[in-house]
Amino acid sequence: MRVLITGGAGFLGSHLAEKFLADGHKVIVLDNLITSTVDNIAHLFGNENFTFIKYNVVNYIYVKDDVDIILHFACPASPLDYQKHPIHTMKVDSLGTLNSLGLAKAKKSRFVFASTSEIYGSPQIHPQDESYWGYVNPIGVRSVYDEAKRFSEAMSMAYFREYGIDIRILRIFNTYGPRMRANDGRVVSSFITKALKNEEITVFGDGTQTRSFCYVDDMTEGIYKISLKDGIEGEVFNIGNPEEISIINLARLIVELTGSSSKIKFLPLPEDDPPKRKPKIDKIKATINWKPKISLKKGLIKTIEYFENILKK
Ligand code: UDP
């Protein structure tokens, strides 16, 4: 297959590029490197099946060759990043989605959209399944991400309904692992880097808010299987690990696993920070026989090793 990945130099995109190449597919990555780095894909440059184009998909996308699958993964994804680049975030998940869908129509490609658990906003039901419509503040600080992703879901469905494009939507829940940026502001990368430096760990609010964290290898496997699966056009799937933990317990676990002397410091809870988040994953389980295999503890140990090496450099 010929696969095009927007945002393919990012955290998830680069793992996907690697996975498709390892299985003998051709991969084109488009990325403007706003919140990603070529370091994530440098090891792929020698592969004759790999092409990297530094490009902002907010602009019209031209690709000469045929493309079988487009994965639209370009977008600043951490709350810190998307609040730093609010307009670009809205553009990449509106104009960028439109251009990527236009390319899918022109090339008759399958389209896989990287949506998010954020489309559920501050969920009023728990855990969240795909039938839930969400509870989103349309003008809050997180809205640039939430609403752009919701728009992209609607746009993907419009291309499915009007042109019969083979789209599928993945609502990706919190994911962590190697190639997260140390300074991306996300909770796992922040806590690990601070613990390794024996600096204060900043817990926002009282730390009772929960998240459910999926290790990147499990996530990559699930996205890969959904991308290759026939007969699921127009479908939406939650993807993530339902193992839920409070942020304060995550901080304690990371302190324990790193053997750190860090103290925990409490800071105010950011605006619209969702109090709970946990996916129901019955639908994806039933569709591709996928479920996460790596426990939080095991995944954190691998991620700590990665950051130890990064910090040594
Ligand atoms: N968080 C925290 N300290 C940090 C970074 C994040 O307590 O240094 C909390 C944040 O308030 C949220 C959770 O950890 O409740 C997950 O935050 P993250 O930015 O990783 O992603 P989100 O799930 O909110 O998109």
Side-chain angles (χ1 to χ4, degrees):
M1 297 266 191
R2 276 172 293 246
V3 181
L4 183 144
I5 308 176
T6 77
F11 167 49
L12 284 185
S14 64
H15 282 278
L16 286 164
E18 200 174 270
K19 172 81 181 154
F20 276 101
L21 285 170
D23 280 6
H25 304 283
K26 285 193 192 316
V27 174
I28 302 172
V29 159
L30 304 184
D31 200 307
N32 67 352
L33 305 176
I34 271 201
T35 55
S36 55
T37 162
V38 278
D39 293 351
N40 287 341
I41 48 169
H43 60 297
L44 306 176
F45 283 143
N47 190 321
E48 58 174 16
N49 286 331
F50 181 67
T51 308
F52 169 65
I53 303 166
K54 185 169 182 285
Y55 194 70
N56 187 345
V57 296
V58 159
N59 303 302
Y60 181 86
I61 307 168
Y62 171 76
V63 178
K64 194 163 150 265
D65 299 326
D66 287 342
V67 179
D68 301 304
I69 308 176
I70 296 170
L71 293 101
H72 183 37
F73 275 63
C75 190
S78 90
L80 192 77
D81 285 343
Y82 61 69
Q83 288 170 41
K84 193 167 151 206
H85 305 286
I87 296 172
H88 181 69
T89 299
M90 294 216 76
K91 281 185 176 176
V92 76
D93 265 322
S94 54
L95 300 173
T97 305
L98 181 64
N99 292 331
S100 306
L101 280 161
L103 184 69
K105 178 171 168 257
K107 301 284 183 188
K108 300 186 171 47
S109 329
R110 175 172 288 174
F111 184 82
V112 183
F113 178 59
S115 188
T116 166
S117 52
E118 278 286 319
I119 69 107
Y120 297 126
S122 195
Q124 308 291 295
I125 64 152
H126 193 72
Q128 297 79 51
D129 70 24
E130 292 86 350
S131 65
Y132 181 51
W133 290 357
Y135 188 72
V136 173
N137 176 354
I139 55 166
V141 289
R142 295 174 87 106
S143 65
V144 292
Y145 187 67
D146 304 8
E147 296 291 11
K149 289 286 183 188
R150 289 172 72 97
F151 173 90
S152 291
E153 288 202 6
M155 183 62 98
S156 302
M157 290 307 291
Y159 269 73
F160 165 64
R161 293 191 177 110
E162 188 165 343
Y163 297 125
I165 305 295
D166 177 1
I167 70 104
R168 62 270 324 260
I169 295 166
L170 283 166
R171 293 183 181 150
I172 300 170
F173 282 65
N174 293 66
T175 305
Y176 69 99
R179 296 199 199 130
M180 294 184 96
R181 285 185 358 255
N183 61 353
D184 72 357
R186 283 194 266 209
V187 68
V188 172
S189 35
S190 299
F191 284 5
I192 292 179
T193 45
K194 284 179 182 147
L196 289 174
K197 293 184 195 164
N198 295 310
E199 291 173 0
E200 277 180 335
I201 290 184
T202 53
V203 168
F204 300 158
D206 61 7
T208 54
Q209 72 272 32
T210 69
R211 295 292 186 273
S212 307
F213 296 97
C214 185
Y215 188 66
V216 67
D217 289 358
D218 282 331
M219 179 58 63
T220 306
E221 180 71 23
I223 297 169
Y224 180 77
K225 282 180 139 187
I226 282 286
S227 303
L228 295 180
K229 176 85 180 162
D230 292 329
I232 52 168
E233 45 277 65
E235 293 290 337
V236 54
F237 301 92
N238 283 343
I239 182 166
N241 190 327
E243 192 183 340
E244 187 181 13
I245 186 169
S246 67
I247 296 304
I248 183 75
N249 283 340
L250 178 74
R252 291 182 186 128
L253 180 59
I254 288 175
V255 167
E256 183 197 315
L257 295 175
T258 49
S260 171
S261 59
S262 293
K263 297 274 167 289
I264 292 174
K265 179 181 172 187
F266 292 90
L267 291 177
L269 191 67
E271 201 181 318
D272 292 341
D273 198 288
K276 281 181 182 184
R277 196 185 275 160
K278 171 181 171 162
K280 275 191 106 168
I281 57 168
D282 307 67
K283 184 171 175 186
I284 194 164
K285 253 188 204 167
T287 307
I288 53 166
N289 191 25
W290 171 90
K291 64 172 190 225
K293 295 189 197 107
I294 299 164
S295 68
L296 181 60
K297 194 169 169 187
K298 206 168 148 198
L300 285 175
I301 291 169
K302 287 170 183 253
T303 311
I304 290 165
E305 272 168 26
Y306 169 79
F307 279 112
E308 272 170 346
N309 286 327
I310 292 283
L311 294 177
K312 266 189 228 147
K313 283 182 189 163

